[in-house]
Amino acid sequence: MNPTISDTDNRTDGREHDRYPLSRTEPQTGGKRKAVDESARNATICVVGLGYVGLPLAVGFARADYRVIGYDVDESTVERLQAGIDTTGDLSDDAVRDGDISYTTSAGAIADAEYVIVAVPTPIDDRNGPNLEHVESAARTVGSKMTAGTTAILESTVYPGATREVFVPALEDASGMTAGEDFFVGYSPERATPGDEDRSVEDVVKVVSGQNEKVLEDIAQRYESVVDAGVHRAPSIEVAEASKVVENAQRDLNIAFVNELSVAFDQMDVDARDVLEAAGTKWNFHDYRPGLVGGHCIPVDPYFLAYRSSRDGFEPELLRRSRVVNESIPDHVAELTIGALNECHKTLCESRVLVLGLAYKPNVGDIRNSKVADVVDALTDYDVDVEGFDPLADDDDVRETFGLDVQERLSFDGIDAIVLATPHPEFEQFDLEAVANALAETPALIDVTGSIDEDVATDAGFVYRTL
């Protein structure tokens, strides 16, 4: 059995595909959502993995009048979706209920689909290497159920080459079929942005790729019927895979630069944000701001690219250095907090610090891979008593993940310092003067993202710090 994707594509469902080397596929970017003929909409699409990537995608295809199967191994997730409950917080219960979409834990339903889209997590392991066990497991499940002529599309973030090296062999082994002859493969990296109402599936240009030009065009047309922003046809699967990790590696590099500037200017007693504002008056200056780098993309994707590059003999020093810089910022936030407490003449072992916002970004309740947890750990190393509050996160999950006391109802009584780590919109309503009066005498405010005006904070009575 051939473990690679064949350039020869003889589809077994009656639709003929010619032979096209990957290098012959030209990149193209579409415009508005394109109409799809009714016969094409008769296709059934199965989305495997109904998390923050897969569920919006399934709903998007259902809105475009496709028959959709949503498959997930998590019974509680599927039960809630079957009850019409949005499990992501980014859609709505109506969106989950509407359209021709069924949610199931039965892998046998995969056999009913002409297109299977795999959107499962791809974390890093303890050594910061790619962990593709979910991709391989999902591919084996899909391969064991899919029928000849199926097109399997991977959306999970992977290193360049992983679709051919991991996804395809697992599909082939489980199905007993050969990619490019009996079934077909594409890759389209997810670009989900949880918590951003202006950037849903329909609003973000979709990069797509296929094993040859005919498969590419077939996949592109499916996505074009859903994505208003258009579709970019990548010339190869490897280009599409690389584009995803580069998107976030670039952001990691730029944030690392301003984070390093923030630490350097703090030593010089120069306001880093004032510096960035002044520098930003030049037309070609890119506006990045210092902060914690958490979540599922920016702190993860650079490791995928570094892994593949190192494996091929080139050590990407800048990529790895950026990771080191950004991973050091939680300790720096803790040091800023300790410095502010000292300025307020507080005894550290008797101080109480309240961390506001525990999720990895504003407007979401997801605490997985939140770097606020590292801030909490660093503060407890100083024997500071730390409490947390997040109006969007699940309190029990926070207690288990962060290992700290959680306020279920916000209280400032006896608090010596506030660390505003994740500025949810709910915190914008605070009357800072009233908050300061409710705190212990001479309170400190560590505003990690700089979301509060320093003059307003100091006028309210806070000793103010920011990155």
Side-chain angles (χ1 to χ4, degrees):
M1 188 175 298
N2 183 3
T4 63
I5 300 177
S6 170
D7 285 340
T8 303
D9 185 0
N10 300 310
R11 197 171 181 118
T12 58
D13 62 357
R15 286 176 285 178
E16 295 183 355
H17 291 258
D18 298 326
R19 185 181 210 170
Y20 289 91
L22 293 175
S23 61
R24 295 261 314 270
T25 304
E26 296 298 327
Q28 301 174 38
T29 301
K32 292 296 183 180
R33 180 187 301 187
K34 294 186 178 180
V36 175
D37 61 70
E38 291 305 315
S39 62
R41 289 191 194 278
N42 288 332
T44 298
I45 295 174
C46 178
V47 178
V48 175
L50 299 175
Y52 72 96
V53 173
L55 182 60
L57 192 63
V59 168
F61 275 106
R63 283 174 174 165
D65 296 328
Y66 287 92
R67 294 194 304 271
V68 178
I69 299 166
Y71 169 75
D72 200 289
V73 297
D74 189 309
E75 292 184 0
S76 62
T77 295
V78 171
E79 287 174 358
R80 294 178 67 195
L81 291 171
Q82 290 172 338
I85 299 172
D86 172 23
T87 54
T88 66
D90 281 332
L91 301 167
S92 69
D93 292 347
D94 287 341
V96 168
R97 287 191 295 263
D98 293 345
D100 188 0
I101 180 170
S102 60
Y103 304 100
T104 183
T105 57
S106 174
I110 294 170
D112 296 331
E114 288 82 16
Y115 300 88
V116 181
I117 300 174
V118 175
V120 294
T122 49
I124 51 176
D125 60 26
D126 293 338
R127 303 176 71 178
N128 293 328
N131 180 352
L132 302 185
E133 63 181 8
H134 297 300
V135 169
E136 186 171 6
S137 176
R140 291 189 179 279
T141 299
V142 171
S144 69
K145 303 300 180 183
M146 71 180 182
T147 57
T150 299
T151 298
I153 305 161
L154 181 61
E155 284 227 2
S156 305
T157 301
V158 294
Y159 60 82
T163 300
R164 298 180 190 274
E165 296 175 6
V166 178
F167 189 59
V168 171
L171 288 169
E172 290 184 326
D173 288 345
S175 67
M177 296 187 286
T178 300
E181 297 178 7
D182 307 308
F183 68 92
F184 312 99
V185 177
Y187 180 80
S188 179
E190 60 90 358
R191 280 178 165 172
T193 310
D196 190 337
E197 296 179 355
D198 296 327
R199 291 181 174 87
S200 63
V201 169
E202 295 86 354
D203 304 315
V204 180
V205 173
K206 201 77 169 72
V207 175
V208 299
S209 64
Q211 65 191 94
N212 62 39
E213 191 167 321
K214 288 291 187 179
V215 175
L216 168 64
E217 190 59 31
D218 185 31
I219 293 172
Q221 288 181 13
R222 301 289 76 73
Y223 282 104
E224 282 178 331
S225 65
V226 174
V227 181
D228 292 331
V231 165
H232 177 85
R233 292 159 170 80
S236 72
I237 288 175
E238 287 76 14
V239 166
E241 291 168 325
S243 72
K244 170 60 179 178
V245 290
V246 166
E247 289 172 20
N248 289 313
Q250 181 194 56
R251 294 170 67 192
D252 196 47
L253 286 163
N254 281 284
I255 298 170
F257 174 58
V258 294
N259 272 337
E260 195 163 65
L261 289 179
S262 175
V263 177
F265 285 128
D266 184 55
Q267 298 298 313
M268 303 177 202
D269 197 25
V270 175
D271 191 308
R273 294 181 185 274
D274 286 346
V275 173
L276 292 173
E277 183 177 352
T281 59
K282 190 177 181 185
W283 76 91
N284 59 353
F285 186 82
H286 291 190
D287 187 18
Y288 283 85
R289 296 299 165 127
L292 299 171
V293 183
H296 311 286
C297 294
I298 301 178
V300 173
D301 294 3
Y303 289 122
F304 282 78
L305 186 56
Y307 163 82
R308 175 58 199 270
S309 180
S310 298
R311 197 184 74 179
D312 287 2
F314 177 75
E315 187 60 40
E317 295 180 7
L318 190 57
L319 273 178
R320 295 198 184 278
R321 177 59 191 166
S322 296
R323 286 280 71 236
V324 170
V325 170
N326 285 336
E327 288 294 310
S328 72
I329 297 304
D331 286 338
H332 182 58
V333 172
E335 290 166 4
L336 289 176
T337 306
I338 298 306
L341 286 169
N342 286 332
E343 185 173 335
C344 296
H345 304 291
K346 305 290 184 180
T347 302
L348 295 184
C349 63
E350 298 175 359
S351 296
R352 294 176 61 202
V353 174
L354 175 60
V355 181
L356 294 180
L358 305 169
Y360 79 90
K361 64 181 287 189
N363 212 31
V364 302
D366 193 347
I367 62 171
R368 294 171 298 170
N369 208 22
S370 171
K371 294 305 175 183
V372 183
D374 294 341
V375 175
V376 171
D377 289 343
L379 286 172
T380 56
D381 286 343
Y382 286 97
D383 292 328
V384 173
D385 183 12
V386 184
E387 301 174 21
F389 175 78
D390 192 306
L392 302 182
D394 182 270
D395 290 337
D396 290 335
D397 288 345
V398 171
R399 291 187 184 95
E400 181 178 351
T401 302
F402 284 65
L404 82 166
D405 293 332
V406 179
Q407 293 187 1
E408 296 185 4
R409 298 185 63 182
L410 184 59
S411 172
F412 299 109
D413 186 34
I415 298 297
D416 296 290
I418 292 175
V419 177
L420 180 54
T422 306
H424 293 307
E426 289 82 352
F427 300 146
E428 296 175 1
Q429 304 169 8
F430 284 166
D431 180 335
L432 285 185
E433 188 170 346
V435 171
N437 290 334
L439 297 173
E441 185 178 357
T442 319
L445 173 60
I446 295 79
D447 179 14
V448 174
T449 64
S451 59
I452 296 174
D453 184 271
E454 181 175 0
D455 291 338
V456 174
T458 53
D459 288 346
F462 285 101
V463 170
Y464 180 86
R465 293 287 187 276
T466 188
L467 286 179

